[in-house]
Amino acid sequence: MKQYWVLFFIAGVIASGCKKEKEDIIPAPTTKYGEVSFKMKYTVDAAPLYFDSLMYKNAAGNKYSVTKIHYYLSHFMLYTKGELKYSSKDIFYLDAQSSLFSEVSLKNIPVMEYDSVSFTIGLDTDQNVSNSLPASNENIVMIWPDMMGGGYHFLKLEGHWNSANGVEGYAMHIGRNGYCMNIGIKHIINLQEYKPLNLSMTMNVNEWFANPNMYDLANDGVYSMGNAVMMKKLSENGTNVFSIQ
C-alpha cells in the first residue's frame, strides 16, 4: 500500500509541475503584420510620360522633354486619425526609366486601416552625409560634391526644352540640407495579414514647374544645382507632385 501512495504522490508532483510550466509560458504576440507596395508611375498632367519626347508644355508655356528622373524617397509613415502607427527608416532610390528601381515596398506593418501616409523626397540631415549610403552605382551617381556641401542629390530631373535659341538642355537638381520635401497624402490603406497590398503612386512631372511657384525655364534658369533660389522654388513645388491610387 505504501508503494502505491508513493507512486500517487510522484504523479501528483509531476502533474503539478507541468501545470506550473504552462502558466509560466509567455503568450505569443497577438499583433498581425502585412505589407504594402507602391508602384511608381509618371505623367505630365493627364498624359503619360514618354522619355526623350519634346512634346510637353509646363505652366509657363515652356515646351520640354524628359530624359532622366532619379530621386530618393525616405521616412515613410502611416497614420490613423492623425496618430502615427508605423514608421520606416528605409531609403528608396527610384529611377523612372528602370524597372529595377520602380517600387517602394514597406514590410512588417501592423494590420489595421490607415487613412494617410507621409514621406520625404530626399534625405534628412542625419542621412544626408557623404558616403553614408552603400557604395552602389546608383548612390555614387547621386553624390553631391563635397565642395558644394556634400551629401546626396535628392532629385535629378533632366531633359531638353525649346528656348529662344533652339533646343537646349535643362537639369533640375535638388540637394543639400534644408531642401528635402515632406509629403502628406490622405488615402485609405486597409492592410490584411498574408495579403500584400499593391497601390500606384504617380508623379506628375508638370507639378515641379507649377505649384505653388510657376517655374519658367527661360527666366528662372535651367541649371539649379547649388542655386538656393532655384532649389527653394523647386522644392516647394515638390510637395505637390505625388498622388496615390
Side-chain angles (χ1 to χ4, degrees):
M1 175 66 75
K2 184 176 181 181
Q3 289 178 338
Y4 287 117
W5 183 86
V6 172
L7 291 173
F8 180 80
F9 176 78
I10 294 173
V13 171
I14 293 173
S16 175
C18 290
K19 184 177 181 180
K20 190 174 189 306
E21 287 176 356
K22 288 182 179 179
E23 289 176 348
D24 288 344
I25 292 175
I26 299 174
T30 57
T31 302
K32 298 178 180 180
Y33 295 92
E35 59 185 78
V36 59
S37 293
F38 298 98
K39 181 70 173 179
M40 312 309 296
K41 295 184 177 180
Y42 304 89
T43 65
V44 181
D45 292 334
L49 173 63
Y50 296 104
F51 285 88
D52 301 310
S53 299
L54 197 65
M55 58 184 286
Y56 302 108
K57 186 176 290 187
N58 63 21
N62 308 135
K63 192 174 182 180
Y64 72 98
S65 68
V66 176
T67 59
K68 177 188 295 184
I69 307 178
H70 298 175
Y71 58 104
Y72 289 111
L73 296 184
S74 63
H75 287 285
F76 275 83
M77 300 183 182
L78 300 177
Y79 302 82
T80 299
K81 296 181 179 178
E83 184 177 349
L84 176 63
K85 296 293 186 179
Y86 168 85
S87 63
S88 171
K89 296 181 180 180
D90 292 334
I91 299 170
F92 300 92
Y93 167 83
L94 286 309
D95 178 347
Q97 287 185 286
S98 172
S99 60
L100 297 177
F101 304 100
S102 62
E103 188 174 64
V104 168
S105 182
L106 305 177
K107 302 182 184 298
N108 299 318
I109 308 172
V111 168
M112 66 177 72
E113 183 176 279
Y114 302 90
D115 55 26
S116 58
V117 57
S118 69
F119 55 92
T120 297
I121 304 175
L123 311 173
D124 67 20
T125 54
D126 292 332
Q127 299 166 328
N128 191 38
V129 178
S130 296
N131 304 311
S132 63
L133 299 181
S136 64
N137 290 334
E138 296 74 35
N139 291 332
I140 289 173
V141 298
M142 294 292 278
I143 288 174
W144 194 273
D146 286 336
M147 67 179 65
M148 299 180 68
Y152 295 86
H153 285 75
F154 302 158
L155 169 77
K156 288 184 177 182
L157 168 60
E158 300 177 8
H160 296 91
W161 70 293
N162 273 347
S163 74
N165 299 317
V167 177
E168 297 182 347
Y170 70 86
M172 303 290 97
H173 290 191
I174 303 174
R176 301 194 63 181
N177 296 331
Y179 295 98
C180 65
M181 295 143 273
N182 298 317
I183 316 297
I185 301 175
K186 288 189 174 296
H187 189 87
I188 298 298
I189 299 175
N190 189 7
L191 289 187
Q192 300 180 40
E193 191 177 21
Y194 307 124
K195 291 185 178 180
L197 182 61
N198 298 305
L199 300 173
S200 295
M201 184 182 293
T202 301
M203 176 192 287
N204 179 358
V205 178
N206 252 355
E207 285 294 335
W208 287 108
F209 304 105
N211 294 300
N213 307 306
M214 187 175 74
Y215 192 99
D216 186 346
L217 293 169
N219 296 317
D220 290 304
V222 294
Y223 296 105
S224 64
M225 189 171 180
N227 186 305
V229 174
M230 295 168 69
M231 289 196 299
K232 183 175 187 297
K233 291 186 72 170
L234 291 167
S235 62
E236 289 175 352
N237 290 350
T239 61
N240 298 303
V241 301
F242 281 111
S243 61
I244 296 175
Q245 298 79 35

